[in-house]
């Protein structure tokens, strides 16, 4: 059984990094809002924005995984690897509904 791990391409990695840096800034801002005892609704709105931004990153990473690792496994001659990748993706997608 081979291991079919293909890393995300450089453009995707940069896109994810920029978004995560922006999210880190948002989280720092939210921490400051809490420390400054800002109005709870304002904090909740900023939390919602950060969560939405993380969901967008999640989508980008999942799409990259499907385009790279999963495609490589599906194109391989290793039936076990193909089945494992499909099961792995199904488990990951199932966690999305639990969040």
């Amino acid at each position: 059984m081979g291991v079919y791990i293909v890393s995300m391409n450089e453009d995707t990695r940069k896109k994810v990094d920029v978004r995560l840096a922006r999210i880190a800034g948002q989280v720092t801002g939210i921490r400051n809002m809490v420390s400054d005892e800002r109005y709870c609704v304002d904090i909740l709105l900023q939390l919602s924005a950060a969560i939405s931004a993380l969901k967008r990153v999640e989508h980008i990473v999942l799409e990259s995984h499907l385009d790279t690792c999963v495609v490589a496994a599906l194109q391989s001659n290793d039936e076990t690897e193909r089945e494992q990748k499909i099961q792995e993706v199904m488990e990951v997608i199932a966690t999305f509904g639990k969040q």
Side-chain angles (χ1 to χ4, degrees):
M1 174 178 83
V3 176
Y4 297 91
I5 299 176
V6 181
S7 126
M8 67 177 71
N9 69 45
E10 188 63 27
D11 288 340
T12 302
R13 189 179 0 270
K14 286 178 183 177
K15 184 188 303 186
V16 167
D17 185 59
V18 166
R19 287 175 181 262
L20 289 174
R22 189 176 309 127
I23 293 165
Q26 284 179 295
V27 171
T28 298
I30 295 166
R31 290 184 71 204
N32 291 337
M33 291 175 76
V34 171
S35 293
D36 295 342
E37 298 181 11
R38 296 277 301 273
Y39 186 54
C40 292
V41 171
D42 292 340
I43 295 169
L44 289 167
L45 290 172
Q46 291 303 311
L47 285 167
S48 178
I51 291 166
S52 292
L54 281 169
K55 286 288 196 186
R56 287 190 296 276
V57 171
E58 178 182 73
H59 178 84
I60 292 166
V61 173
L62 176 59
E63 184 175 24
S64 174
H65 180 61
L66 292 172
D67 287 342
T68 57
C69 301
V70 175
V71 166
L74 293 176
Q75 291 175 343
S76 78
N77 292 325
D78 189 336
E79 181 69 27
T80 301
E81 184 67 23
R82 290 193 301 258
E83 290 173 8
Q84 286 176 342
K85 285 293 180 210
I86 291 169
Q87 184 61 36
E88 175 186 75
V89 169
M90 295 304 294
E91 289 171 7
V92 168
I93 290 171
T95 65
F96 292 170
K98 296 176 185 176
Q99 298 174 354

